[in-house]
Amino acid sequence: MLGAIIGDIVGSRFEWNNHRSKDFELLTYKCFPTDDSIMSLAVAKALLECKSDYSDLSKKTIKYMQEIGRK
């Protein structure tokens, strides 16, 4: 999950301007977390706080996606 978030932030500056080369700085002032990063954190929080049988996982996921996503 950490790798996905880092990849999302690194690639954020190319979201609307594709870049095919592998030669670029990983993190610059143009990088930013996107909604994908925020939703990944919401899913992680839901996984950590749901019941051990995951019976409330979807309820917790929706709750945290709305709660964290609105900020």
Side-chain angles (χ1 to χ4, degrees), residues 37-49:
S37 295
I38 305 306
M39 293 299 106
S40 294
L41 293 173
V43 171
K45 186 168 183 170
L47 283 166
L48 291 171
E49 296 191 8

Side-chain angles (χ1 to χ4, degrees), residues 13-26:
R13 65 182 183 213
F14 305 121
E15 191 165 5
W16 302 109
N17 186 18
N18 291 336
H19 182 84
R20 297 193 184 273
S21 171
K22 294 179 184 174
D23 185 27
F24 60 89
E25 288 184 60
L26 288 181

Side-chain angles (χ1 to χ4, degrees), residues 3-17:
I5 292 171
I6 292 170
D8 182 53
I9 293 170
V10 168
S12 63
R13 65 182 183 213
F14 305 121
E15 191 165 5
W16 302 109
N17 186 18

Side-chain angles (χ1 to χ4, degrees), residues 4 6 16 22 25 27 29-30 33 35 41 52-54 58 68 70:
I6 292 170
W16 302 109
K22 294 179 184 174
E25 288 184 60
L27 295 170
Y29 71 93
K30 295 179 181 179
D35 60 327
L41 293 173
S52 60
D53 66 355
Y54 303 109
S58 62
I68 295 171
R70 286 186 179 134

Side-chain angles (χ1 to χ4, degrees), residues 49-66:
E49 296 191 8
C50 72
K51 295 177 183 175
S52 60
D53 66 355
Y54 303 109
S55 61
D56 62 342
L57 179 58
S58 62
K59 182 178 177 180
K60 294 272 187 186
T61 301
I62 292 167
K63 174 186 174 188
Y64 292 125
M65 282 184 160
Q66 290 175 346

